[in-house]
Every structure is written in structure tokens, then in C-alpha cells.
């Protein structure tokens, strides 16, 4: 991970503990030019110091977005052990040993963030939580959950439920039919897996995922990502450098921010905008994946001529 520019306190310790954490990589599975592979274990010789040496990952899933934005990056759940050195500013941990266990998609990162927060806070059933790192959970019919505290989480699994998290690093999840999830905090995440659900994330580097039938995912923050995997779903990313992905059947993905990108499965529609360096819209383009050379599961942006071009960075 890239070194945090802020001055941070850290402490190292040798322990037999194995911790589960989350790591970001570039599109080629590299971190600071070091190549990784899923399923492999790596050992570091020498001192271990957060932000300086050792293998780095974050215990809180959404902290990885500070180092690798959701658009165009790879993510994995990892295990760290041996000598550990913790970061003073966030949940980043350096270790002498790391095992890359499994790749995580955007919905997986969001799910992990919600589980992480709720496991560390006392859920308030049918209520709301406004405290620091609080959690609100509603599992009843037509219930609602709201968490406004920093790093809070809101989860609604009941029929027609809704979940809202407005705190920094917050996460919102709605898994019931007709549910909705909204996260407006910085680096927040929203996930809706129920039929007709909707997920919206307006924080910078936030992520929104909708996996339900006819669901919608919207990410309006810069460097954010929106993913829609359900039938007839839609993904929209309006922030600069954002990404929208629609992998379900008959879905659509739109990226309208500066240097935005979009991808989709065969038959899905892609909508892109080209903005100049003054952020003025100069070209717009639309395409159907599988037609006119547009390939499935491939990121595209729009160039100044209005042509779809593959994103290789």
C-alpha cells in the first residue's frame, strides 16, 4: 500500500496471533510493484514497521479504499501473522507474514465492512444508532435501520426494510425485498441484495452494490464505484474517476464523471461521457456489449473523439 502522507504513531509486537484483514492491489495484483497471487503465503525478512516495511493490509475493509480506490483495483481477504505493527491513523497493519486467501468483489468488501462494524458494536434493534462506531439493525417486516455515527453500520434484512448510514466510513446493507441502502459518509459503502432494491453511496471513494432483481446502484463520490449484478439492474457513477459495472442480464452501466469508466456483460448497455480538463462535457457515447467490437467484462472510457477505448491503466 502507498505510504500515508500523515505522520502516524505505530507499535510493533511479535505475536502468535493470526489476524484477518483486507488488502488492495493494482489491476495486475501488485502492491508497490511487488506481485502477489491468491493462495500464496509470503514472508518478510527484516524489521516490520507500519508505513515503512513489511506486508500491509487493513483490518477494517473500507480502509483499503484510502490506498486503492474501488474503481479498477483488486481486493482480497488476507491473513497476517508473525511480527505485527499497527498504524496510528487507521486500521492498517504491517506484518512479517501474509497469506492471500481469496479475491473479494465489491459486494464482498461491503459485506465484510458491515460484518466488521456490527461485530464490534451493540446492535439496537428497531432503533437508530448515533454513537461512534455504533450499529443499527432492523430485521422485522418493513423495518428501518439508521446509523449516523462515525464508522457506524446499518443493516435491514426485513421485507421492505431500509438502511441508512451517514457517518464517515459507515456501511449500509439492505437484504430484504424492496429494500434500500444509503451511505453518505466518506469512504462509505452501500449494499442492497433484495429484489427491486437500491444502493446509493455519495462519499468519496465509496462503493455501492446492488445484486437484486431490477436493483440499482449509484455512486456519486470521486473515485467511487457502482456495481449492479442483478437482472435489469443499473449502475451509475457520476463522480470523477469513478467506475460503473453492470454484470447482470439486460442491465446498464453509466459513468458520467471526469475520466470515468464502465463495463458490462454481453447484452448490457454502456453510457460514457468525455469531459475536457475544465470538466466540460464534449462527447457522449453509448454502446451495447457484444456489438461493434465492445467486449464483455472490459473497462471502457470515452476519448475526445467520442470513441470507446479500453482502459489499460
Amino acid at each position: 500500500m502507498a505510504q500515508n502522507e500523515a505522520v502516524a504513531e505505530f507499535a510493533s509486537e511479535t505475536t502468535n496471533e493470526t489476524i484477518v484483514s483486507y488488502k488492495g492491489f493494482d489491476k495486475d495484483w501488485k502492491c508497490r510493484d511487488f506481485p502477489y497471487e491468491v493462495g500464496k503465503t509470503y514472508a518478510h525478512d527484516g524489521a516490520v514497521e507500519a508505513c515503512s516495511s513489511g506486508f500491509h493490509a487493513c483490518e477494517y475493509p473500507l480502509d483499503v479504499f484510502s490506498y486503492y480506490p474501488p474503481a479498477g483495483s483488486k481486493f482480497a481477504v488476507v491473513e497476517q501473522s508473525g511480527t505485527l505493527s499497527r498504524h496510528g491513523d487507521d486500521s492498517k497493519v504491517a506484518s512479517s507474514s501474509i497469506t492471500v486467501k481469496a479475491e473479494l468483489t465489491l459486494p464482498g468488501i461491503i459485506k465484510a465492512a458491515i460484518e466488521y462494524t456490527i461485530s464490534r458494536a451493540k446492535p439496537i434493534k428497531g432503533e437508530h444508532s448515533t454513537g461512534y462506531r455504533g450499529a443499527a439493525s432492523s430485521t422485522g417486516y418493513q423495518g428501518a435501520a439508521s446509523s449516523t455515527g462515525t464508522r457506524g453500520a446499518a443493516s435491514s434484512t426485513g421485507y421492505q426494510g431500509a438502511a441508512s448510514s451517514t457517518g464517515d466510513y459507515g456501511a449500509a446493507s439492505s437484504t430484504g425485498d424492496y429494500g434500500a441502502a444509503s451511505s453518505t459518509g466518506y469512504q462509505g459503502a452501500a449494499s442492497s441484495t433484495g429484489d427491486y432494491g437500491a444502493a446509493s453511496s455519495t462519499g468519496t471513494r465509496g462503493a455501492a452494490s446492488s445484486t437484486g432483481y431490477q436493483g440499482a446502484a449509484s455512486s456519486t463520490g470521486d473515485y467511487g464505484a457502482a456495481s449492479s449484478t442483478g437482472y435489469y439492474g443499473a449502475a451509475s457513477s457520476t463522480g470523477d474517476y469513478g467506475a460503473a459495472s453492470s454484470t447482470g442480464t439486460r442491465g446498464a452501466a453509466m459513468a458520467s464523471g471526469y475520466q470515468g469508466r464502465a463495463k458490462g456483460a454481453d447484452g448490457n448497455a454502456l453510457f460514457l461521457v468525455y469531459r475536457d480538463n475544465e470538466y466540460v462535457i464534449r462527447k457522449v457515447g453509448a454502446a451495447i456489449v457484444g456489438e461493434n467490437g465492445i467486449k464483455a467484462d472490459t473497462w471502457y472510457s470515452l476519448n475526445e473523439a467520442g470513441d470507446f477505448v479500453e482502459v489499460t491503466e
Side-chain angles (χ1 to χ4, degrees), residues 121-124 127-137 145-149 152-153:
K122 181 180 179 181
I124 304 176
E127 297 287 345
H128 66 282
S129 174
T130 58
Y132 179 74
R133 299 197 187 191
S137 173
S146 172
S147 176
T148 57

Side-chain angles (χ1 to χ4, degrees), residues 75-161:
F75 302 99
V77 57
V78 302
E79 288 184 350
Q80 293 178 277
S81 59
T83 302
L84 304 179
S85 175
R86 285 186 162 82
H87 195 327
D89 288 344
D90 60 15
S91 68
K92 184 165 66 173
V93 179
S95 63
S96 58
S97 178
I98 191 169
T99 300
V100 184
K101 300 295 291 184
E103 181 178 4
L104 284 181
T105 60
L106 204 56
I109 286 282
I110 296 170
K111 181 175 182 290
I114 293 166
E115 292 175 347
Y116 178 96
T117 304
I118 290 179
S119 70
R120 286 160 174 77
K122 181 180 179 181
I124 304 176
K125 191 171 183 178
E127 297 287 345
H128 66 282
S129 174
T130 58
Y132 179 74
R133 299 197 187 191
S137 173
S138 175
T139 58
Y141 178 80
Q142 293 185 332
S146 172
S147 176
T148 57
T150 302
R151 298 198 186 191
S155 174
S156 176
T157 58
Y159 180 73
Q160 292 187 339

Side-chain angles (χ1 to χ4, degrees), residues 31-246:
C31 177
R32 300 185 73 174
D33 294 326
F34 185 88
Y36 291 82
E37 291 184 37
V38 175
K40 295 287 186 69
T41 298
Y42 302 90
H44 171 76
D45 293 326
V48 174
E49 183 178 303
C51 296
S52 179
S53 59
F55 300 107
H56 291 77
C58 297
E59 291 184 279
Y60 180 57
L62 297 188
D63 278 344
V64 298
F65 292 166
S66 293
Y67 307 95
Y68 285 90
S73 301
K74 300 285 190 179
F75 302 99
V77 57
V78 302
E79 288 184 350
Q80 293 178 277
S81 59
T83 302
L84 304 179
S85 175
R86 285 186 162 82
H87 195 327
D89 288 344
D90 60 15
S91 68
K92 184 165 66 173
V93 179
S95 63
S96 58
S97 178
I98 191 169
T99 300
V100 184
K101 300 295 291 184
E103 181 178 4
L104 284 181
T105 60
L106 204 56
I109 286 282
I110 296 170
K111 181 175 182 290
I114 293 166
E115 292 175 347
Y116 178 96
T117 304
I118 290 179
S119 70
R120 286 160 174 77
K122 181 180 179 181
I124 304 176
K125 191 171 183 178
E127 297 287 345
H128 66 282
S129 174
T130 58
Y132 179 74
R133 299 197 187 191
S137 173
S138 175
T139 58
Y141 178 80
Q142 293 185 332
S146 172
S147 176
T148 57
T150 302
R151 298 198 186 191
S155 174
S156 176
T157 58
Y159 180 73
Q160 292 187 339
S164 172
S165 176
T166 57
D168 293 347
Y169 306 96
S173 172
S174 175
T175 57
D177 294 343
Y178 311 102
S182 173
S183 176
T184 57
Y186 175 77
Q187 290 187 346
S191 173
S192 175
T193 57
D195 293 344
Y196 309 101
S200 173
S201 175
T202 57
T204 302
R205 298 181 193 266
S209 170
S210 176
T211 57
Y213 179 77
Q214 292 187 344
S218 172
S219 175
T220 58
D222 292 345
Y223 304 97
S227 172
S228 175
T229 59
Y231 287 100
Y232 311 105
S236 171
S237 177
T238 58
D240 295 339
Y241 309 101
S245 171
S246 178

